[in-house]
Amino acid sequence: GDSVTQMEGPVTLSEEAFLTINCTYTATGYPSLFWYVQYPGEGLQLLLKATKADDKGSNKGFEATYRKETTSFHLEKGSVQVSDSAVYFCALLSGSARQLTFGSGTQLTVLP
Amino acid sequence: GAGVSQTPSNKVTEKGKYVELRCDPISGHTALYWYRQSLGQGPEFLIYFQGTGAADDSGLPNDRFFAVRPEGSVSTLKIQRTERGDSAVYLCASSLTTSGARDTQYFGPGTRLTVL
């Protein structure tokens, strides 16, 4: 079945550091890929998405590129801020499925 | 406009009791999803509605779990004879249609269920 594997956390960075959170997936066909973010005390929010190979999703300074050859969708940001502290989830939607399959989440803490 | 809302935000119950969790989707969204998120894990799919009908209930763990959406808007997730293992955050999401990835799923804040 479909699955998503995320880099285990927690990840702690200093403000303005470079961020990478790794995500790889297993799926049938050609899934669409997502990053969701969960800020403290809030619900899940879509951060970015990519629907086909080589697409790059971007939002709020975050980027992720859909790499079919390596079945990956790593999340990157060049300079993190304290306000980026949250839990980040990689997810996929494959084939005719309507439900998302999520990774286990990566807790990010950014220190001033 | 208003997002997805869920009530109650917290529910504490005793083992063996019955609980109902409510989800109010974004107005006009035809698709509604329920997920369950255990501590330290990502959300896991339970059931999805297209309109009033349950289009896919393959994620429901057993027959103690049931969900309805009688008028194609508000949905209720019902859990009978609750067990301690049912403790989790129950998330609801809605999307405009069901054309797959082109429709973003918008999540509510969740209901934290604790079974003592």
Side-chain angles (χ1 to χ4, degrees):
Chain A
D2 298 343
S3 67
V4 175
T5 302
Q6 270 184 253
M7 169 177 156
E8 288 193 15
V11 174
T12 302
L13 296 173
S14 297
E15 203 165 25
E16 298 184 4
F18 184 85
L19 168 71
T20 299
I21 301 178
N22 290 338
C23 171
T24 57
Y25 66 88
T26 302
T28 53
Y30 302 97
S32 294
L33 302 172
F34 305 81
W35 277 100
Y36 277 81
V37 58
Q38 191 168 35
Y39 297 104
E42 298 185 18
L44 278 168
Q45 301 174 25
L46 178 67
L47 181 59
L48 53 85
K49 70 180 184 184
T51 58
K52 61 183 189 296
D54 299 324
D55 269 3
K56 178 186 284 188
S58 60
N59 187 24
K60 299 182 180 180
F62 290 89
E63 293 183 339
T65 301
Y66 187 158
R67 301 286 188 201
K68 182 168 172 290
E69 63 277 11
T70 54
T71 62
S72 65
F73 193 55
H74 305 320
L75 183 68
E76 296 182 336
K77 186 173 185 182
S79 177
V80 292
Q81 305 300 312
V82 172
S83 58
D84 294 327
S85 298
V87 182
Y88 292 81
F89 292 93
C90 186
L92 68 81
L93 194 67
S94 75
S96 60
R98 297 292 177 258
Q99 65 270 26
L100 292 160
T101 298
F102 285 88
S104 57
T106 302
Q107 170 80 54
L108 170 67
T109 301
V110 180
L111 302 176
Chain B
V4 178
S5 61
Q6 293 186 245
T7 54
S9 55
N10 279 284
K11 176 70 177 179
V12 180
T13 191
E14 294 180 343
K15 181 175 178 297
K17 299 290 188 183
Y18 168 83
V19 296
E20 290 189 352
L21 312 179
R22 175 188 167 109
C23 171
D24 206 332
I26 293 172
S27 178
H29 280 194
T30 60
L32 185 146
Y33 311 78
W34 284 99
Y35 294 83
R36 178 168 71 173
Q37 185 176 16
S38 299
L39 193 63
Q41 300 298 314
E44 294 180 321
F45 169 75
L46 295 176
I47 185 171
Y48 135 72
F49 288 88
Q50 174 56 41
T52 60
D56 183 350
D57 64 358
S58 61
L60 294 177
N62 51 59
D63 61 6
R64 295 186 298 106
F65 288 76
F66 189 71
V68 296
R69 195 185 185 200
E71 298 178 356
S73 178
V74 170
S75 176
T76 304
L77 178 66
K78 308 181 181 195
I79 311 174
Q80 298 178 320
R81 304 183 303 280
T82 52
E83 299 177 357
R84 293 194 180 89
D86 299 335
S87 297
V89 176
Y90 289 80
L91 299 172
C92 178
S94 69
S95 65
L96 187 59
T97 64
T98 57
S99 60
R102 290 166 182 79
D103 275 335
T104 298
Q105 293 185 26
Y106 295 89
F107 283 81
T111 293
R112 181 176 299 278
L113 175 66
T114 304
V115 182
L116 301 176

